[in-house]
């Protein structure tokens, strides 16, 4: 968070030994990190231009937030965000990833001429006891931590750990009562709306490239399992509501397991609602007070 920690607390925290993991936890972690060791998943993310350009445009349009700063890239993958930070003038970038993709990231960093300003560490972030090159803290954290439905299989807990362990508050900001954003993206919001899934699916088969294939359609059975699909906004039947907002500078691990009340207001008197759609957005702001 943005509170200043004493040197004695920092030293105790740095010397703290990692928790002993159960075999079950090791297996889950192993599966998770192994899934990010292959090229395909990183190619998919890099080909998502909306995602990658959101980071690039914000960073390149706000280079003063990174210039001469020590930056940590949590879950660096191929190192694309680390290189963006270096191009913005970062003093040094610490890129961390447990998956084997870190090996490729090191080669990419070298090939692009940033080996002297980007250090790639292949390890679980929570295992790092000391930063490289005698560094004692980081000024900025960047991460593409979002998972399915924002929080499923996300790395937000690692971002929180990095913030609490390695980020130092700026005395000038504290004295002025300001809170300069230094974790990007700095805010995430979850939204929900009701929609008519049955109507959306049946409409597809009624006019499939100009052909009536409605005989192919089978009404979906009720399920409690989430579907990862594109939703046609024409079939949204309620106003949307933001039911959870997370500030990266203040959120804690316990905030990630939550129950929220919400209201959905129908937009049609005869609306049929047979499913809920959830989506999220992430904000990049250069001043948390704005």
């Amino acid at each position: 968070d943005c509170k200043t920690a004493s040197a004695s607390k920092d030293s105790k925290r740095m010397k703290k030994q990692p928790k002993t993991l159960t075999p079950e936890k090791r297996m889950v972690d192993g599966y998770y990190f192994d899934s990010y060791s292959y090229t395909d998943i990183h190619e998919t993310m890099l080909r998502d231009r909306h995602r990658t350009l959101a980071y690039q445009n914000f960073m390149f349009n706000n280079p003063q937030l990174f210039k001469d700063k020590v930056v940590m890239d949590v879950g660096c993958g191929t190192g694309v965000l680390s290189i963006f930070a270096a191009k913005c003038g970062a003093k040094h970038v610490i890129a961390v990833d447990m998956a084997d993709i870190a090996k490729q990231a090191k080669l990419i960093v070298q090939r692009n001429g940033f080996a002297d300003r980007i250090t790639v560490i292949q390890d679980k972030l929570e295992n790092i006891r000391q930063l490289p090159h005698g560094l004692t803290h980081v000024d900025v954290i960047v991460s593409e931590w979002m998972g399915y439905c924002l929080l499923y299989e996300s790395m937000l807990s690692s971002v929180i750990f990095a913030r609490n362990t390695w980020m130092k508050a700026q005395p000038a900001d504290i004295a002025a009562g300001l809170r300069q954003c230094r974790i990007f993206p700095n805010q995430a919001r979850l939204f929900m709306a009701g929609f008519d899934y049955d109507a959306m699916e049946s409409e597809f088969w009624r006019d499939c490239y100009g052909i009536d294939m409605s005989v192919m359609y089978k009404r979906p059975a009720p399920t409690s399992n989430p579907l990862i699909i594109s939703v046609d906004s024409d079939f949204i039947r309620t106003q949307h509501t933001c039911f959870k907002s997370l500030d990266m500078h203040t959120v804690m691990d316990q905030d990630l397991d939550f129950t929220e009340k919400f209201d959905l207001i129908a937009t049609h008197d005869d609306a049929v609602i047979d499913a809920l759609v959830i989506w999220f957005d992430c904000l990049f702001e250069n001043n948390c007070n704005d």
Side-chain angles (χ1 to χ4, degrees):
D1 56 24
C2 292
K3 295 179 180 178
T4 304
S6 68
S8 60
K9 288 183 179 178
D10 283 346
S11 61
K12 290 179 181 178
R13 187 162 49 199
M14 290 170 63
K15 293 176 181 177
K16 185 177 179 181
Q17 295 301 313
K19 295 179 180 178
T20 302
L21 300 179
T22 64
E24 292 80 6
K25 176 64 174 172
R26 288 196 186 94
M27 182 174 67
V28 171
D29 282 355
Y31 171 79
Y32 176 79
F33 290 117
D34 183 64
S35 68
Y36 282 90
S37 295
Y38 302 99
T39 301
D40 290 355
I41 190 169
H42 295 281
E43 181 179 356
T44 298
M45 291 189 289
L46 290 171
R47 287 183 181 275
D48 182 349
R49 292 182 57 80
H50 292 288
R51 162 197 171 273
T52 307
L53 288 176
Y55 283 89
Q56 186 186 60
N57 289 339
F58 175 78
M59 296 171 78
F60 285 10
N61 288 327
N62 296 274
Q64 75 280 1
L65 300 175
F66 303 90
K67 184 173 175 57
D68 299 325
K69 300 292 196 301
V70 177
V71 178
M72 177 173 280
D73 182 358
V74 178
C76 67
T78 57
V80 59
L81 301 186
S82 298
I83 292 175
F84 288 168
K87 287 186 174 183
C88 288
K91 176 182 178 181
H92 200 82
V93 182
I94 304 166
V96 184
D97 205 306
M98 178 68 175
D100 281 345
I101 193 66
K103 295 180 174 63
Q104 277 71 39
K106 290 180 181 179
L107 297 176
I108 292 170
V109 166
Q110 292 171 1
R111 178 161 293 190
N112 285 272
F114 290 105
D116 59 331
R117 291 172 52 205
I118 300 176
T119 299
V120 180
I121 300 174
Q122 184 177 1
D123 201 350
K124 193 172 182 180
L125 183 108
E126 291 79 358
N127 292 339
I128 298 174
R129 307 262 68 83
Q130 187 173 0
L131 298 180
H133 306 295
L135 297 170
T136 58
H137 69 277
V138 302
D139 302 302
V140 176
I141 293 173
V142 294
S143 180
E144 201 282 296
W145 56 265
M146 296 73 76
Y148 295 109
C149 199
L150 185 64
L151 297 176
Y152 180 69
E153 285 194 351
S154 81
M155 295 188 299
L156 183 50
S157 289
S158 293
V159 173
I160 293 171
F161 182 89
R163 178 199 70 195
N164 293 345
T165 305
W166 300 113
M167 180 167 275
K168 185 176 75 172
Q170 300 297 320
D173 290 346
I174 296 173
L178 300 176
R179 191 157 62 81
Q180 180 72 47
C181 290
R182 294 186 293 122
I183 304 175
F184 302 109
N186 64 289
Q187 189 176 158
R189 302 181 299 182
L190 275 161
F191 295 89
M192 181 184 295
F195 79 111
D196 191 343
Y197 177 73
D198 182 55
M200 184 181 73
E201 289 296 288
S202 60
E203 177 65 21
F204 171 77
W205 290 110
R206 272 197 297 268
D207 184 11
C208 187
Y209 301 98
I211 303 170
D212 184 350
M213 296 188 181
S214 54
V215 295
M216 297 286 292
Y217 178 66
K218 293 183 180 180
R219 187 179 179 86
T223 177
S224 60
N225 295 322
L227 301 176
I228 303 170
I229 61 173
S230 296
V231 173
D232 188 336
S233 60
D234 288 343
F235 297 93
I236 297 292
R237 302 298 189 229
T238 71
Q239 297 177 9
H240 70 267
T241 183
C242 175
F243 66 94
K244 190 67 174 179
S245 182
L246 301 173
D247 183 336
M248 297 303 104
H249 294 80
T250 59
V251 65
M252 302 298 287
D253 278 318
Q254 57 265 32
D255 298 327
L256 307 184
D257 186 1
F258 59 87
T259 300
E260 294 287 344
K261 293 182 179 180
F262 60 90
D263 294 315
L264 291 177
I265 302 173
T267 53
H268 302 81
D269 290 338
D270 58 347
V272 175
I273 300 170
D274 59 6
L276 298 173
V277 56
I278 297 176
W279 69 97
F280 65 86
D281 67 13
C282 294
L283 305 182
F284 295 80
E285 299 170 308
N286 61 16
N287 190 324
C288 293
N289 300 283
D290 187 350

